Amino acid sequence: MSYPDFGFPEYLRSILAIAIFFLIFLLFTPIILFLLLISFGKASNFVVERIAPIMVRPVMWVSGISFDVKMHADQLTSPAVFIINHSSTLDVLTLLALGLPKIRFVAKWEFQYNPIFLILGRLTGQIFIKRKKTDKAIQTLKKTHRRIKRDQLSVMMAPEGSRKHPGIIGPFKKGPFRMAMDLDYPIVPIYFEGNRDLSKGGTMITKSGQVTAHIHEAIDTTDWTLDNLEEKMKEVRNKYLEWENVEDDDVRSIS
């Protein structure tokens, strides 16, 4: 597939892509609401797995971004707690483009300030947490355990918590790992290659190029305990450092 250049500077092409993103959401919102209403909410998985990837692909096309998925496992493990490296605004697009089965996203509370995200997020059962209030975030996650387990849903989380963190791979928070232990779920690491290079930090300006989602082997958590949790988290984070080809000392020195 060829990707358009338009002869525009990067920032103009990015503005066009952002406008298309919100236009598509406006157009699809009534369709999604109709599907959810007539199905009494049962269409949530169909929306996340089938419709969401369709919605973001045109935005990537306009941005000149080629998206690919590479499996490094014999099959996709599900249900599971999926984790990603989070350092770019592009992560939102690539997460939706994956179309993972029966997935629910743990997102920051502020996403709900956008009325479209609020309506669609709540109706499809996404999980919004207040990241700066750790106790409330943990309470919110615990309240969702019963629904997640009952419906055999998977959860997507970013162990770094935010894309604004020191270095390439930031310190990992315990939330995703505690959730995997509580649910008795494996952890499936997904490594986004190219997101940070095409769109650094909090900017919405993107370059054209290649983005690849590497889905790795599931990590069994049955022998994880509170006593060895820190060690297990370090092992998982070291995998991301290896995939980034950096040492831990190098990460701290890169801004």
Side-chain angles (χ1 to χ4, degrees):
M1 179 186 293
S2 60
Y3 294 85
D5 183 272
F6 299 121
F8 293 168
E10 287 174 359
Y11 71 93
L12 288 179
R13 187 178 58 209
S14 297
I15 291 172
L16 177 61
I18 293 166
I20 290 173
F21 176 79
F22 283 104
L23 177 61
I24 288 173
F25 264 83
L26 284 172
L27 292 174
F28 270 85
T29 295
I31 299 171
I32 293 172
L33 291 177
F34 176 73
L35 287 174
L36 292 172
L37 287 173
I38 64 172
S39 68
F40 298 99
K42 301 295 185 183
S44 295
N45 291 329
F46 178 77
V47 170
V48 177
E49 295 171 33
R50 303 294 182 183
I51 296 182
I54 293 173
M55 293 170 67
V56 298
R57 289 286 181 165
V59 182
M60 290 184 170
W61 183 76
V62 170
S63 300
I65 295 172
S66 175
F67 181 66
D68 188 25
V69 178
K70 288 189 177 180
M71 287 291 299
H72 299 269
D74 294 334
Q75 61 182 6
L76 183 68
T77 300
S78 180
V81 173
F82 291 86
I83 61 172
I84 62 161
N85 53 315
H86 189 24
S87 60
S88 170
T89 52
L90 275 180
D91 297 344
V92 174
L93 297 182
T94 50
L95 282 175
L96 294 175
L98 283 171
L100 294 171
K102 300 180 75 172
I103 195 76
R104 296 296 181 269
F105 302 102
V106 177
K108 62 182 181 180
W109 187 266
E110 290 79 4
F111 267 128
Q112 297 178 104
Y113 295 160
N114 183 305
I116 296 177
F117 292 165
L118 170 62
I119 295 170
L120 294 183
R122 287 295 181 179
L123 288 178
T124 55
Q126 309 310 318
I127 305 163
F128 297 96
I129 61 172
K130 295 180 178 179
R131 296 179 310 191
K132 293 181 179 179
K133 298 182 178 180
T134 305
D135 291 340
K136 287 189 176 181
I138 292 173
Q139 288 176 11
T140 301
L141 292 174
K142 285 185 175 179
K143 287 178 182 178
T144 65
H145 285 183
R146 186 175 179 182
R147 173 171 63 94
I148 292 167
K149 197 73 173 178
R150 180 195 66 209
D151 298 336
Q152 290 290 283
L153 301 174
S154 290
V155 182
M156 175 69 75
M157 301 182 72
E160 294 157 292
S162 167
R163 67 174 182 268
K164 298 177 182 178
H165 52 71
I168 297 174
I169 302 295
F172 276 9
K173 300 181 183 300
K174 293 181 180 178
F177 307 98
R178 285 294 304 270
M179 182 170 243
M181 291 168 62
D182 293 341
L183 292 170
D184 196 24
Y185 275 8
I187 289 172
V188 177
I190 297 178
Y191 168 63
F192 286 135
E193 179 186 9
N195 286 21
R196 179 176 48 82
D197 296 328
L198 299 187
S199 180
K200 296 182 183 297
T203 180
M204 299 186 76
I205 306 302
T206 65
K207 301 176 183 176
S208 60
Q210 175 71 41
V211 168
T212 304
H214 296 271
I215 302 179
H216 289 272
E217 289 274 4
I219 300 171
D220 186 14
T221 62
T222 54
D223 65 339
W224 287 28
T225 66
L226 292 179
D227 290 334
N228 66 18
L229 179 57
E230 293 281 355
E231 179 186 348
K232 297 295 185 181
M233 288 171 54
K234 184 177 180 180
E235 290 174 3
V236 177
R237 184 170 177 270
N238 283 340
K239 290 179 181 289
Y240 279 92
L241 293 172
E242 290 173 10
W243 297 328
E244 280 281 4
N245 261 337
V246 294
E247 299 291 335
D248 201 19
D249 290 341
D250 295 334
V251 171
R252 293 196 183 94
S253 66
I254 299 173
S255 60

